[in-house]
Amino acid sequence: MKIKRKVEIAVISDVHLGTYGCHAKHLLTYLNSIEPKKLVLNGDIIDIWQFSKRYFPKSHMKVIKKLMSMASNGVEVIYITGNHDEMLRKFSGTTIGNITIVDKVVLELDGQKAWFFHGDVFDISVQNAKWLAKLGGYGYDLLTLLNRGVNWYLDKRGKERYSLSKRVKNGVKGAVKYINDYEKVISELAIENEYDYVICGHIHQPKMQYFENKHGKTMYLNSGDWVENFTALEYQFKRWKIYNFNKDKLAPFVVLDEDEDLQMKDLIAAITIVDQVEKKKKVKKQ
């Protein structure tokens, strides 16, 4: 019998379902290994910017089915919208069963206030030049696709995997400064609003760090991503930790390819169900 880990809150972000960079099978293995009370999907779960019927593998559809299954089995699912799934922002405030769609949320955790949001609102490139950000998204997708080929070769040779995108980010001083500024601005705003924790995603950089200034302190947390880092955040026993798939042994929970088949219609139904519910609400009001 598979014994799942019980956690109070699990946070995942930047899954980017529908892109070549997404590692859906890794995520499914992780989701099968936990039993959370709350699951926070902190933005960019489905990459609607780059969504195409030409590429949406079964494993990506299975992630959607797994999330809906968890909700139907009593897990409170909070879907926080990001920039790549911003289409859902017009449905912010909608609740369907155990699934709630929001742009941000504040939760009380053992007497502490935790502020959750995706983080793209602090990204100037997204806010002021969306077309440039989308172009960058396609370039990132191409880089991760190339990285898959490189890592396949390294795995065959028994060598350590390598991240091209990390190499690019760490080699560009502007990128490093951007990340540091991003974390600082968010943390200072959290301190100003007296939040004990601030939890975001967006920049694909998992992190847990205290920030302090003359007005107070806060803990900054970033859930990372499921494109290159394969990380999540977990809250249990009044403590946060960064979960890293690469450092875990989850063989009993591995998803097998012979699992039941899923069709594109399942994905389309998952994406459009919110729209149908919203229309019914409008009809009732009339």
Side-chain angles (χ1 to χ4, degrees):
M1 182 179 177
K2 299 175 182 178
I3 301 176
K4 299 186 177 185
R5 288 190 301 109
K6 294 182 183 294
V7 295
E8 189 171 337
I9 300 175
V11 185
I12 61 173
S13 69
D14 301 275
V15 177
H16 294 278
L17 293 169
T19 67
Y20 292 105
C22 172
H23 287 258
K25 289 184 180 179
H26 289 0
L27 178 58
L28 277 168
T29 300
Y30 169 64
L31 292 175
N32 283 336
S33 74
I34 61 172
E35 192 175 306
K37 291 181 181 178
K38 284 187 176 71
L39 176 62
V40 179
L41 308 176
N42 203 355
D44 290 0
I45 304 303
I46 301 175
D47 200 318
I48 299 176
W49 273 9
Q50 301 179 64
F51 175 73
S52 169
K53 289 184 179 181
R54 291 189 300 274
Y55 184 79
F56 210 94
K58 293 177 184 177
S59 59
H60 292 216
M61 295 182 190
K62 287 175 184 175
V63 169
I64 292 175
K65 183 174 181 184
K66 177 64 180 178
L67 295 174
M68 297 178 81
S69 173
M70 292 174 79
S72 66
N73 287 323
V75 178
E76 181 184 348
V77 178
I78 302 173
Y79 194 124
I80 300 174
T81 57
N83 51 302
H84 284 257
D85 46 20
E86 64 182 352
M87 184 188 81
L88 298 176
R89 283 182 173 159
K90 61 183 177 180
F91 304 116
S92 182
T94 300
T95 298
I96 307 169
N98 278 337
I99 303 175
T100 303
I101 300 175
V102 294
D103 295 331
K104 58 187 176 182
V105 68
V106 176
L107 300 177
E108 185 174 320
L109 308 179
D110 298 302
Q112 306 285 297
K113 288 194 295 182
W115 179 31
F116 296 78
F117 64 100
H118 181 62
D120 58 292
V121 292
F122 293 95
D123 190 334
I124 296 174
S125 68
V126 172
Q127 297 302 312
N128 296 341
K130 190 170 292 184
W131 66 271
L132 183 61
K134 287 185 178 182
L135 183 62
Y138 285 111
Y140 182 76
D141 200 32
L142 181 61
L143 188 63
T144 52
L145 180 59
L146 177 62
N147 207 159
R148 278 198 163 191
V150 171
N151 284 330
W152 175 85
Y153 175 76
L154 292 174
D155 285 341
K156 289 291 184 182
R157 297 292 299 274
K159 297 187 176 183
E160 188 177 350
R161 295 167 69 88
Y162 186 79
S163 175
L164 292 173
S165 58
K166 279 186 181 179
R167 178 75 176 182
V168 171
K169 288 176 185 176
N170 293 336
V172 179
K173 290 184 179 179
V176 175
K177 184 179 185 301
Y178 162 75
I179 291 170
N180 291 337
D181 290 347
Y182 174 91
E183 296 169 347
K184 184 173 183 289
V185 168
I186 287 174
S187 298
E188 287 180 346
L189 190 57
I191 292 172
E192 184 181 328
N193 287 278
E194 299 183 342
Y195 294 126
D196 301 286
Y197 309 113
V198 54
I199 301 98
C200 55
H202 185 57
I203 57 173
H204 296 206
Q205 294 286 317
K207 193 167 187 178
M208 183 169 66
Q209 179 179 333
Y210 272 109
F211 277 82
E212 187 171 1
N213 61 24
K214 63 181 181 180
H215 301 294
K217 67 178 180 178
T218 191
M219 178 181 279
Y220 166 88
L221 298 116
N222 194 302
S223 46
D225 66 283
W226 288 86
V227 175
E228 56 184 312
N229 291 297
F230 320 138
T231 53
L233 292 169
E234 295 179 354
Y235 181 79
Q236 181 75 336
F237 304 124
K238 300 183 180 181
R239 296 179 65 183
W240 283 100
K241 78 168 187 177
I242 296 176
Y243 166 84
N244 191 322
F245 180 86
N246 290 325
K247 297 180 181 178
D248 205 348
K249 305 295 182 183
L250 296 173
F253 300 95
V254 170
V255 180
L256 301 177
D257 290 335
E258 61 261 32
D259 282 355
E260 61 186 293
D261 191 17
L262 290 174
Q263 304 295 326
M264 179 56 69
K265 64 182 180 182
D266 297 313
L267 170 65
I268 295 172
I271 294 175
T272 59
I273 188 171
V274 179
D275 195 22
Q276 295 169 0
V277 171
E278 196 69 15
K279 286 179 180 177
K280 288 181 181 179
K281 282 185 177 180
K282 289 181 180 179
V283 170
K284 286 182 179 179
K285 287 181 180 180
Q286 291 175 353

